[in-house]
Amino acid sequence: MRDGQVRQAVEGDLAAIAALEARAFPGLSYPYFALRQLFDVHGHHMLVSAGTGGLYGYALLAGDGSGRSWLLSLAVERTHRQRGHGRSLLDAVLSRADDRGLGAVWLSVAPDNHPALRLYEASGFCLVERHSDYLGPSQERLLMVRAAPLRSP
Ligand SMILES: CC(C)(COP(=O)(O)OP(=O)(O)OC[C@H]1O[C@@H](n2cnc3c(N)ncnc32)[C@H](O)[C@@H]1OP(=O)(O)O)[C@@H](O)C(=O)NCCC(=O)NCCS
């Protein structure tokens, strides 16, 4: 059985999450202070995959009930990739969004990030548009959206 369970992040995870961010998104990572504030606002949608070896991955969703939420981050430690942590984190954060009626989930992803693109497409995300300079000069991103599931009346 794979080591690692998805759970809600706690304050004590933030340093490990900041270190993971820096390794996963060099030059574009959320620093500790930003994660601290995101945790205060969106901590109920900040999830980690953690086990005997510590923190393997995390996901962060921001939703305000306006009918649109954003997957702000999803990252798995390089040495623990391709073991299902990314999919488990994404499934868990999407079910939370659905349970809370957060509506469509949006995200941005680099056009050459094939592992992430495959995962998102398999999870029902569709391409909406391509933005050059989306995250700053030469930081092109694809915007993708996953519609909210239909709710029975
Ligand atoms: C994207 C990322 C989170 C995937 O995490 P992971 O734990 O390796 O993913 P999983 O093991 O759960 O794999 C889920 C699916 O992702 C896709 N995938 C994962 N790694 C892949 C690879 N190297 N090549 C192609 N597809 C890949 C596959 O569709 C896979 O499903 P399958 O195993 O049924 O084929 C991870 O690669 C990562 O942290 N990358 C760096 C940070 C990043 O780019 N995050 C996304 C920002 S938009």
Side-chain angles (χ1 to χ4, degrees), residues 2 20-21 23-25 56-58 71-78 80-90 107-110 113-123 141-142:
R2 190 193 76 213
L20 167 58
E21 271 274 335
R23 284 189 285 272
F25 306 110
Y56 304 139
Y58 101 109
L71 182 68
L72 295 182
S73 195
L74 173 68
V76 173
E77 291 287 4
R78 188 175 296 279
H80 290 276
R81 288 181 192 163
Q82 294 189 274
R83 297 184 195 176
H85 295 292
R87 188 187 297 282
S88 298
L89 283 162
L90 185 59
L107 60 79
S108 68
V109 57
N113 190 344
H114 300 293
L117 279 166
R118 276 192 60 177
L119 173 58
Y120 295 145
E121 282 165 0
S123 300
R141 290 294 182 273
L142 306 179

Side-chain angles (χ1 to χ4, degrees), residues 80-150:
H80 290 276
R81 288 181 192 163
Q82 294 189 274
R83 297 184 195 176
H85 295 292
R87 188 187 297 282
S88 298
L89 283 162
L90 185 59
D91 286 350
V93 90
L94 291 176
S95 346
R96 285 194 173 211
D98 295 343
D99 290 348
R100 292 171 188 231
L102 294 186
V105 177
W106 289 70
L107 60 79
S108 68
V109 57
D112 59 354
N113 190 344
H114 300 293
L117 279 166
R118 276 192 60 177
L119 173 58
Y120 295 145
E121 282 165 0
S123 300
F125 283 86
C126 299
L127 176 65
V128 178
E129 58 184 296
R130 198 176 185 114
H131 260 268
S132 56
D133 303 333
Y134 183 72
L135 292 182
S138 305
Q139 292 294 342
E140 183 177 31
R141 290 294 182 273
L142 306 179
L143 292 193
M144 302 183 81
V145 67
R146 169 193 173 269
L150 292 174

Side-chain angles (χ1 to χ4, degrees), residues 7-36:
R7 61 165 171 78
Q8 192 166 317
V10 296
E11 192 176 340
D13 293 319
L14 291 177
I17 292 173
L20 167 58
E21 271 274 335
R23 284 189 285 272
F25 306 110
L28 282 175
S29 59
Y30 290 128
Y32 184 92
F33 80 88
L35 287 165
R36 161 82 250 180

